[in-house]
């Protein structure tokens, strides 16, 4: 279905703009137009935005911890074409009580057949409101009992063990399970919210707080938030629990459970320096505050770049700030992803690849060139390994996901790491100063707007290549974005980045010589991870025991290192590691760790499968739906 048909453009001037955000009056900068290019279509929404689109969402919701649902109203500002008689919204399991216009008049609506991948459409008849301009519809609703975006935690699943907790994870298309709107990254919307929760819980959202909470009786308080910049709807996020706040700098801070707050704040002390470094590279931070929340360990990702409130896993806390590249990554999304957003999920690299490259630049500025070079080397190695596993001709290794392949099933390295290597290669060929000028212009020209791969390549050619045939040939732009495998002009990492570590890994492979305890402790987290990644695939129980004794791997406070140790131990059927693996899998819901460990157990066959089944039966209920959906097919889990 071609949503963006060029024949309709003349009739829809309110959807078209040739200006940049800086050309708009200050009061109009929050609302960005929908892209009108055919390449921007998003097949994972039911919306028809060229007919009628949501421009603003106002939520008035109660958090029901006992029923594990949100309920209340969503008031949508709708901009419709002159001949539009209806608007189509996205839903997945929402329970609709009724829909009215802004004056309380009942509107007819129909809930369509549900698709297992994208839910069901809600088609609302605009009734007497038909005609050009702005209208409102008010939806009375509740989330369903299995709303995949929301994870409700019992007190025992939190650090304090006394109060319940809830958080949302909307990316990619899960927010339609708790918000009735047009759930597509190209349909940017402003939003506001009033949320009530039982005392003494605190509520935070990915918007600016409108002051102190209000006591509304019945042992509940109301919290209000606003987001005046237009955003893709997957970035509307909420969390509520027993939370406290620690200030990190003049425009940054962190929320966490009291039991976690002190160590979280200590780990995040470089945040203001990162913001300053990012601004120096690619221009002003345009979101006001940059706060973070450290969630309970059930959170399925390392981090989620929700505007003004990055959501973080507690597993990044290592005590030595060695894993704070994660913060640089989520901060970088404030430019690539949040400020300029891919218009469809097929252009994932525009968010994640650009962000990963920007992350390395922030790391270089704050932590030094050595750390940045090591991080790039790890990224490059991950990409090479993925291409070897998939095959260089596999369409899954293309940065721009081709038709016929779900963008939700692509290889992550093609989106993150290949994008990083692509931009590092562009920087090297073009020159850093000139490339930075282009990238800063890219963010300025498309601030608060959606974008496509075609737009990025067209602007590289317009502002950088400028009909220089030799440069065009050097850059190999189309081959990078649409081609498979690793282009021949890819810039390899500095061979000295891990020279000492790689030498130690070679020594171990050759004769079993392990690095000394003092040497191991002197290595950075990235260096320790590199060594463990270079271990032989097959190791004996004696070798694993000696490795653990010499390097104290099972005692490490760095979860990235601990995960690599457990993965090596489980794939080699090392039974002494099973109790720690079981404890780890019961305490952590981050899919980056959970999925590979269950996979390592399962692939051993008769040895590991009973162990995996037993552990998963005990831990599955504590995992987010995303993690469950990844692990279920690995272990052959079928709901009873």
């Amino acid at each position: 279905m071609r949503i963006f048909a060029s024949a309709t453009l003349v009739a829809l001037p309110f959807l078209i703009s040739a200006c940049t955000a800086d050309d708009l009056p200050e009061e109009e900068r929050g609302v960005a137009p929908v892209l009108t290019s055919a390449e921007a279509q998003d097949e994972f929404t039911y919306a028809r935005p060229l007919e009628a689109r949501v421009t603003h969402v106002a939520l008035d919701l109660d958090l029901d911890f006992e029923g594990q649902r949100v309920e209340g109203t969503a008031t949508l500002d709708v901009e419709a074409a002159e001949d539009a008689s209806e608007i189509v919204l996205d839903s997945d399991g929402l329970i609709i009580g009724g829909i009215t216009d802004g004056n309380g008049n009942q509107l007819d609506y129909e809930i369509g057949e549900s698709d297992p991948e994208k839910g069901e459409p809600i088609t609302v008849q605009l009734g007497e409101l038909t005609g050009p301009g702005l209208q409102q519809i008010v939806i009375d609703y509740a989330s369903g009992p299995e709303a995949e975006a929301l994870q409700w935690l019992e007190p025992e699943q939190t650090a304090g063990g006394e109060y319940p907790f809830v958080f949302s994870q909307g990316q990619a298309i899960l927010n339609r399970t708790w918000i009735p709107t047009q759930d597509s990254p190209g349909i940017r919307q402003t939003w506001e919210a009033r949320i009530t929760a039982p005392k003494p819980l605190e509520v935070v959202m990915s918007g600016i707080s409108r002051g102190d909470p209000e006591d509304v009786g019945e042992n509940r308080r109301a919290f209000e938030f606003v987001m005046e910049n237009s955003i893709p709807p997957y970035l509307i996020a909420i969390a509520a629990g027993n939370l406290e706040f620690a200030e990190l700098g003049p425009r940054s801070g962190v929320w966490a459970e009291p039991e976690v707050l002190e160590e979280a704040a200590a780990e995040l002390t470089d945040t203001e320096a990162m913001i300053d470094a990012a601004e120096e590279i690619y221009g002003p931070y345009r979101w006001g505050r940059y706060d973070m929340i450290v969630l309970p360990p059930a959170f399925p990702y390392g981090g989620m770049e929700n505007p003004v409130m990055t959501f973080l896993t507690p597993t990044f806390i290592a005590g030595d700030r060695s894993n704070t590249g994660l913060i640089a990554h989520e901060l970088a999304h404030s430019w690539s992803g949040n400020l300029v957003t891919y218009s469809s999920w097929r252009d994932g690299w525009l968010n994640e690849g650009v962000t990963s490259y920007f992350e390395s630049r922030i790391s270089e500025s704050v932590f030094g060139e050595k750390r940045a070079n090591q991080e790039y080397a790890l990224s490059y190695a991950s990409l090479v390994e993925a291409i070897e596993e998939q095959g260089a001709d596999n369409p899954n290794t293309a940065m721009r996901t081709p038709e016929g392949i779900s963008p939700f099933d692509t290889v992550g390295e093609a989106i993150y790491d290949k994008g990083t290597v692509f931009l590092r290669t562009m920087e090297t060929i073009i020159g850093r100063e000139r490339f930075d000028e282009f990238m800063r212009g890219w963010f300025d020209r498309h601030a608060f707007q959606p974008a496509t791969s075609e737009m990025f390549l067209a602007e590289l050619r317009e502002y950088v290549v400028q009909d220089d045939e030799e440069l065009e040939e050097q850059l190999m732009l189309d081959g990078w974005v649409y081609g498979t495998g690793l282009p021949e002009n890819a810039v390899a990492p500095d061979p000295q980045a891990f020279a000492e570590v790689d030498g130690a890994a070679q020594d171990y492979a050759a004769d079993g010589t392990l690095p000394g305890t003092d040497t191991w402790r002197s290595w950075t987290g990235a260096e320790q991870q590199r060594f463990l990644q270079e271990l032989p695939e097959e190791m004996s129980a004696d070798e694993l025991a000696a490795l653990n004794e010499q390097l104290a791997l099972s005692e490490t406070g760095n979860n990235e290192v601990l995960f690599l140790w457990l993965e090596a131990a489980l794939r080699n059927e090392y039974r002494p590691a099973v109790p720690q693996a079981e404890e780890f899998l019961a305490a952590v819901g981050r899919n980056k760790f959970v999925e590979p460990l269950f996979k390592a157990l399962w692939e051993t066959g008769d040895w590991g499968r009973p162990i995996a089944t037993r552990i998963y039966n005990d831990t599955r209920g504590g995992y987010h739906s995303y993690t469950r959906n990844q692990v279920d097919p690995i272990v052959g889990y079928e709901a009873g």
Side-chain angles (χ1 to χ4, degrees), residues 260-569:
V260 180
L261 186 61
E262 183 176 354
E263 61 178 351
E267 204 79 356
L268 296 168
T269 55
D270 296 314
T271 299
E272 284 288 338
M274 291 185 187
I275 300 172
D276 291 341
E279 289 189 312
E280 183 68 24
I281 299 167
Y282 287 144
Y285 177 79
R286 310 187 197 204
W287 302 91
R289 290 196 58 80
Y290 183 72
D291 290 329
M292 294 158 283
I293 176 172
V294 177
L295 296 165
F299 186 59
Y301 294 110
M304 181 62 207
E305 64 272 16
N306 303 308
V308 311
M309 189 64 67
T310 286
F311 283 23
L312 294 171
T313 172
T315 63
F316 85 95
I317 299 173
D320 60 2
R321 295 178 289 168
S322 58
N323 294 330
T324 53
L326 171 66
I327 313 306
H329 183 91
E330 305 309 330
L331 171 64
H333 268 304
S334 301
W335 285 260
S336 52
N338 297 0
L339 187 64
V340 183
T341 310
Y342 46 43
S343 66
S344 84
W345 305 105
R346 295 196 176 279
D347 285 320
W349 76 273
L350 274 179
N351 276 26
E352 299 298 350
V354 176
T355 292
S356 296
Y357 166 79
F358 192 5
E359 168 197 343
S360 71
R361 296 290 304 279
I362 296 171
S363 287
E364 179 182 330
S365 178
V366 177
F367 302 113
E369 189 174 359
K370 177 182 178 181
R371 175 162 164 175
N373 285 341
Q374 289 183 341
E375 290 174 352
Y376 180 70
L378 290 174
S379 184
Y380 190 96
S382 294
L383 175 61
V384 170
E385 181 180 358
I387 291 173
E388 289 176 350
E389 290 178 354
Q390 297 288 321
D393 296 329
N394 192 318
N396 270 323
T397 64
M399 284 164 52
R400 207 279 180 183
T401 309
E403 301 297 325
I405 295 176
S406 172
F408 307 136
D409 295 332
T410 52
V411 178
E413 290 84 355
I415 306 302
Y416 289 77
D417 299 312
K418 191 173 181 180
T420 304
V421 178
F422 168 53
L423 294 187
R424 174 69 76 94
T425 301
M426 297 303 102
E427 174 205 319
T428 302
I429 295 173
I430 295 166
R432 174 171 284 191
E433 183 176 352
R434 191 179 178 195
F435 185 65
D436 281 353
E437 181 182 1
F438 167 76
M439 290 301 301
R440 184 186 285 242
W442 168 258
F443 295 128
D444 288 342
R445 287 187 293 273
H446 304 288
F448 306 112
Q449 297 182 23
T452 66
S453 293
E454 290 73 21
M455 291 169 61
F456 188 87
L457 294 183
E459 292 200 11
L460 262 175
R461 290 182 167 110
E462 178 182 356
Y463 293 99
V464 178
V465 178
Q466 297 180 331
D467 297 322
D468 184 333
E469 294 182 3
E470 183 178 347
L471 181 57
E472 172 80 31
E473 187 175 345
Q474 278 185 285
L475 295 176
M476 303 174 61
L477 297 176
D478 291 338
W480 272 101
V481 174
Y482 304 112
T484 62
L486 185 63
E488 61 185 21
N489 67 345
V491 171
D494 180 358
Q496 296 303 308
F498 286 112
E500 178 186 357
V501 177
D502 289 347
Q506 291 167 7
D507 290 343
Y508 180 70
D511 57 19
T513 300
L514 283 164
T517 301
D518 291 341
T519 297
W520 176 257
R521 290 175 178 171
S522 72
W523 284 354
T524 65
E527 288 169 330
Q528 292 182 355
Q529 291 171 54
R530 173 75 167 209
F531 179 82
L532 295 176
Q533 288 168 346
E534 297 299 311
L535 290 175
E537 280 295 309
E538 297 183 5
M539 300 177 68
S540 68
D542 288 343
E543 289 171 331
L544 289 163
L547 182 73
N548 187 34
E549 182 179 358
Q550 176 81 359
L551 306 182
L553 296 174
S554 59
E555 301 169 20
T556 180
N558 188 319
N559 285 295
E560 299 280 355
V561 173
L562 178 60
F563 157 70
L564 290 171
W565 154 245
L566 292 175
E567 186 180 37

Side-chain angles (χ1 to χ4, degrees), residues 48 84-88 99-101 105-110 122-130 135-137:
R48 301 195 300 267
S85 61
E86 60 188 29
I87 182 170
V88 184
I99 302 178
T100 65
D101 64 21
N105 300 309
Q106 293 292 327
L107 297 176
D108 292 333
Y109 66 93
E110 180 182 359
I122 303 176
T123 303
V124 183
Q125 301 302 316
L126 296 177
E128 298 299 322
L129 298 179
T130 300
Q135 296 110 23
Q136 281 190 335
I137 60 175

